[in-house]
């Protein structure tokens, strides 16, 4: 979750407060992106640890917002890797200015 450690994303199913917190943070971030880029496409990527490792103290899940800032080019198609031309520091500063968390 945004503020506490969770190894298993599915544990949010039984925790209304954590689900609400995630919804608030995700909504804030998406609204900030929409203010900066009204026509921005993005992907949400949920990464979870393998089932056998979800109870390990170091296990955690992540939810990433991947803005689609450019077209798909040869490198992306061949490698499966995505290029983001915006430095993380610049993106974080612009999101903070637009009202997002960061």
């Amino acid at each position: 979750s945004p503020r506490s450690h969770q190894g298993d994303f599915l544990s949010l199913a039984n925790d209304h407060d954590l689900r609400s917190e995630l919804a608030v943070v995700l909504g804030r971030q998406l609204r900030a992106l929409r203010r900066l880029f009204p026509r921005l496409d993005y992907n949400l990527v949920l990464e979870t640890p393998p089932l056998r490792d979800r109870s390990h103290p170091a296990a955690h899940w992540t939810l990433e917002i991947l803005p689609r800032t450019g077209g798909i080019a040869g490198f992306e198609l061949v490698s499966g890797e995505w290029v983001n031309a915006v430095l993380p520091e610049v993106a974080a500063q612009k999101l903070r200015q637009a009202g997002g968390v960061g």
Side-chain angles (χ1 to χ4, degrees):
S1 85
R3 305 253 186 237
S4 64
H5 178 80
Q6 294 288 324
D8 186 0
F9 179 76
L10 296 177
S11 66
L12 270 68
N14 298 322
D15 193 325
H16 175 73
D17 291 339
L18 289 177
R19 286 193 321 269
S20 295
E21 185 179 357
L22 175 61
V24 167
V25 171
L26 182 59
R28 184 180 302 145
Q29 292 302 104
L30 293 176
R31 283 188 299 278
L33 280 170
R34 186 67 58 199
R35 280 192 289 276
L36 289 171
F37 307 102
R39 295 179 52 118
L40 179 70
D41 292 323
Y42 57 87
N43 294 81
L44 290 176
V45 178
L46 173 64
E47 295 184 38
T48 61
L51 285 173
R52 68 181 179 280
D53 296 336
R54 290 184 184 174
S55 61
H56 189 278
H60 64 276
W61 59 269
T62 60
L63 183 63
E64 297 181 61
I65 303 169
L66 301 179
R68 302 289 301 269
T69 57
I72 296 174
F75 178 79
E76 290 88 354
L77 291 172
V78 172
S79 69
E81 299 292 324
W82 300 98
V83 176
N84 187 344
V86 179
L87 292 172
E89 304 83 31
V90 173
Q93 179 184 17
K94 288 183 181 287
L95 283 170
R96 279 192 296 275
Q97 291 170 347
V101 179

